[in-house]
Amino acid sequence: MKKIIMLTIMGICAILCFVGCENGKKPGKTIEEGQQNIESQEENVAEHSVLQENEPEEIIVPEVYHYNESGKIIIAMYHKFTSGTESDEWTRSFDNFYQDLEYLYEHGYRSVSLHDYLNNEMKVPVGCTPIVFTFDDGSKGQFHLIEAEDGSLIADPESAVGVMERFYREHPDFGLNGTFFINGTGYFGSTGTRAQKLQYLIDKGFEIGNHTNTHVNFSKASIDEIQKEIGVVVKDVAENANGYVVDTLALPFGITSKEYADYIRSGEYEGTRYENKVVLLVGANPALPVSNEDVNLMRLPRVRARGGNKEVECDLYWWLERMEKNPEMKYYRLEN
Ligand SMILES: [Zn+2]
């Protein structure tokens, strides 16, 4: 009998923890933890029902998320960053990047990872809209390490990662997510080893994606070259980040191979197999959710977060403003 009481108390604690975590620091991860609690509770319930066959079984229904399925998701695309003025449309200043995050937060966007999108697990609060951040080319402005006073390596506050970390400290419910599409020839400045740089990002919850070894133009590449360009990055990251599997690709220049697209999706290089779950374009629209049968994950569009003052059709604010005027365009979470 004592055991039954203990199990019941444990079950209640698991429920309370799950509810309390719902609006916690990291929406996706927190819910996962919550689900683990539910699983452990289900085990308790199973054991409980063996002990007390006459009592009705308690059925735990996991939380279901409903979205405005006619809406689309912005996969924002960034390239270079600067502490100065934005010299071209591919460069965002740190101040303007911070303002992008503020605008998004105030307009009900919450960040999710690319894998949250791919797994259809974008667990944002009711009324909020998920957004995915992506960064191409592994530039130093996106992320580089500096030595802290205690000797540890941290992200420079003057980097996109530094800005996101600061924003996350100030707005924990925004989430801390982004995928960095790197080239094998080098990434993220010269401080720290490849392993230290990759592991820092992964430990913070960021993702690493493939942007090919030499930023190749796939339309001019042979089958062997395509496999080498993709395989080298997959191998490099696996070796330097404890077997981390790179399974997302952003097309350099947004250009694919008409003849050999199958090898961009999957292939092998020197014994390293790869399989890309998504291939991202450079422009220029919000993406369909994976639940939509028309979604093409091998040609998934992104929206450019533009630098400079010009407003350009199909860039980030062009879309954001249209979505504010037409909220049905947003893939926002509905009441359950
Ligand atoms: Zn690029």
Side-chain angles (χ1 to χ4, degrees), residues 65-313:
Y65 290 76
H66 297 292
Y67 287 87
N68 168 39
E69 291 290 338
S70 65
K72 291 185 178 179
I73 297 123
I74 290 177
I75 301 175
M77 174 185 67
Y78 287 88
H79 284 80
K80 287 183 276 181
F81 288 86
T82 179
S83 55
T85 48
E86 295 169 346
S87 52
D88 58 41
E89 71 265 38
W90 303 103
T91 306
R92 200 76 177 132
S93 74
F94 297 123
D95 287 348
N96 283 343
F97 181 48
Y98 186 88
Q99 282 174 29
D100 292 346
L101 302 180
E102 257 182 342
Y103 176 99
L104 293 167
Y105 183 77
E106 284 165 9
H107 288 80
Y109 291 87
R110 296 292 180 269
S111 80
V112 297
S113 74
L114 185 55
H115 278 87
D116 291 339
Y117 164 84
L118 292 170
N119 298 329
N120 204 18
E121 289 180 346
M122 299 180 286
K123 293 168 177 173
V124 299
V126 170
C128 288
T129 307
I131 184 164
V132 177
F133 293 108
T134 66
F135 303 85
D136 288 10
D137 304 333
S139 67
K140 191 180 171 189
Q142 290 173 9
F143 165 62
H144 62 271
L145 292 166
I146 56 169
E147 203 171 307
E149 280 179 14
D150 64 1
S152 64
L153 292 172
I154 58 166
D156 190 340
E158 289 271 285
S159 68
V161 167
V163 172
M164 284 191 283
E165 288 182 347
R166 176 182 150 208
F167 194 82
Y168 177 59
R169 283 195 297 275
E170 295 163 357
H171 309 84
D173 56 330
F174 186 66
L176 184 63
N177 297 287
T179 304
F180 291 85
F181 291 91
I182 59 170
N183 304 111
T185 47
Y187 40 82
F188 307 134
S190 54
T191 304
T193 62
R194 286 186 172 217
Q196 285 170 320
K197 290 183 270 191
L198 294 173
Q199 204 58 54
Y200 183 94
L201 290 173
I202 293 163
D203 288 348
K204 292 279 176 176
F206 293 109
E207 296 180 352
I208 310 298
N210 203 325
H211 202 41
T212 75
N213 188 32
T214 66
H215 207 276
V216 73
N217 180 339
F218 277 130
S219 71
K220 295 178 179 166
S222 67
I223 291 175
D224 284 351
E225 284 164 347
I226 289 172
Q227 293 187 102
K228 182 176 179 184
E229 285 287 339
I230 297 172
V232 164
V233 175
V234 172
K235 201 167 182 228
D236 171 64
V237 176
E239 284 172 2
N240 284 299
N242 297 314
Y244 184 97
V245 178
V246 171
D247 57 7
T248 59
L249 176 86
L251 292 169
F253 315 105
I255 297 173
T256 188
S257 165
K258 282 196 181 127
E259 303 99 311
Y260 310 132
D262 285 353
Y263 292 91
I264 293 177
R265 181 182 203 136
S266 60
E268 186 170 346
Y269 172 68
E270 290 188 351
T272 298
R273 281 207 57 76
Y274 63 84
E275 175 126 24
N276 286 309
K277 290 181 176 164
V278 67
V279 175
L280 294 166
L281 302 172
V282 163
N285 308 292
L288 289 167
V290 293
S291 54
N292 189 306
E293 60 181 23
D294 292 329
V295 71
N296 182 355
L297 293 177
M298 292 299 107
R299 291 183 64 77
L300 198 68
R302 291 187 286 174
V303 172
R304 180 171 63 172
R306 194 177 202 283
N309 297 322
K310 262 198 257 170
E311 195 199 322
V312 173
E313 200 168 309

Side-chain angles (χ1 to χ4, degrees), residues 13-22 30-31 34-35 37-38 63:
C13 288
I15 292 170
L16 288 175
C17 178
F18 181 45
V19 172
C21 291
E22 192 179 352
T30 307
I31 299 298
Q35 281 172 337
N37 287 333
I38 280 187
E63 192 169 356

